[in-house]
Amino acid sequence: MDVNSPLFGPVVVSILLGIAVLCIFTAVWRFAPRRDPMDERLAEYGLTDYVKGTDKKPTKAERPKERFAGLAKLLNSLGMGPKVAEKLSRADIPLTVAEFVMIQVAIGGVLFALGFMQLNLYVGLVAGTMGFFLPGFYLNMQQGKLRSGYTNQLPDVLTLLVGSLRAGYGLSQALELVAREVSPPANREFSRVQRAMSLGVSLQRALDEMAARVDSDDLDLVVTAINIQYEMGGNLANVLETISETIRDRIRI
């Protein structure tokens, strides 16, 4: 762009303003107080009140401060917060909803400034819009990639579970063995199940939450079989072996 162009001054001001805003957001993200990591882990399994020994909700003064709390409140009021949080959990991305949205805004702003500076306003708007939605595309791709990984590993996981149960292990011990022996990404989810159980969450609830995170029909079938076995009894090893063979045949076909 020509220095003598009448648009040169506004473009420079826009770029400097964008950089300033990005620096402010970065500073707030870096230095703003966060929740205690232990509270975050307990809240993930719904055990904060259980550990503190009370069901009373904390007052505003007692409530821990969070990064971008105002933005998080706005997203929750619009109904976007829970949906994005669920996608982040399924994609195994350790970000809060507000942090993820701030990344979207930052990428969109940078691409808008580049498009506007190099070409024109319309190109900047298109580039900024694409930049804003780019992290969402990555989130969906990562979620689908992990879901496929879980599905492909599930027959091997079931084979290990069946062998452990027939060797005399209890179900909790068999799940611990799976978390220790299988490769990612399945081991991460079963490790989360083990951590939840160690914090006092029931096995059925921990498995239900894992199935909700993974969002796989095959895993839903496995979890349902385990829950029915807990309620009605029966030979769980045979049921899991049948499910494993069914999944293998379906994948092979």
Side-chain angles (χ1 to χ4, degrees), residues 96-249:
T96 66
V97 175
E99 290 169 350
F100 181 76
V101 172
M102 289 308 304
I103 291 175
Q104 288 183 293
V105 172
I107 294 176
V110 169
L111 291 183
F112 168 77
L114 290 175
F116 182 41
M117 179 178 64
Q118 296 296 329
L119 296 172
N120 54 53
L121 176 62
Y122 300 106
V123 174
L125 290 174
V126 172
T129 302
M130 292 179 62
F132 179 82
F133 288 106
L134 190 61
F137 294 146
Y138 171 77
L139 187 64
N140 292 331
M141 290 175 57
Q142 183 69 8
Q143 182 179 338
K145 179 181 177 181
L146 288 179
R147 187 188 299 116
S148 298
Y150 294 132
T151 301
N152 293 333
Q153 283 186 282
L154 193 54
D156 295 331
V157 168
L158 293 177
T159 299
L160 185 57
L161 276 176
V162 170
S164 302
L165 292 172
R166 287 178 174 168
Y169 286 91
L171 182 56
S172 299
Q173 294 173 310
L175 291 174
E176 182 179 358
L177 180 64
V178 169
R180 188 171 61 248
E181 296 296 333
V182 300
S183 58
N187 65 336
R188 290 195 292 265
E189 284 299 332
F190 284 95
S191 296
R192 294 178 73 173
V193 171
Q194 288 298 311
R195 288 197 298 270
M197 292 172 60
S198 67
L199 292 171
V201 178
S202 65
L203 175 60
Q204 292 98 320
R205 178 181 170 186
L207 290 174
D208 286 338
E209 291 176 349
M210 178 180 69
R213 287 191 300 268
V214 175
D215 190 27
S216 168
D217 293 336
D218 293 331
L219 186 58
D220 287 342
L221 181 61
V222 173
V223 171
T224 300
I226 293 175
N227 289 337
I228 291 175
Q229 189 271 345
Y230 255 78
E231 296 292 334
M232 308 297 294
N235 193 325
L236 181 60
N238 289 342
V239 174
L240 295 181
E241 184 177 31
T242 302
I243 295 175
S244 175
E245 293 174 354
T246 302
I247 296 174
R248 288 183 189 276
D249 290 340

Side-chain angles (χ1 to χ4, degrees), residues 39-59:
D39 284 340
E40 289 184 344
R41 178 170 293 184
L42 292 173
E44 180 181 357
Y45 303 110
L47 291 172
T48 305
D49 294 332
Y50 172 79
V51 173
K52 291 181 179 180
T54 176
D55 291 331
K56 183 181 69 173
K57 294 183 178 180
T59 63

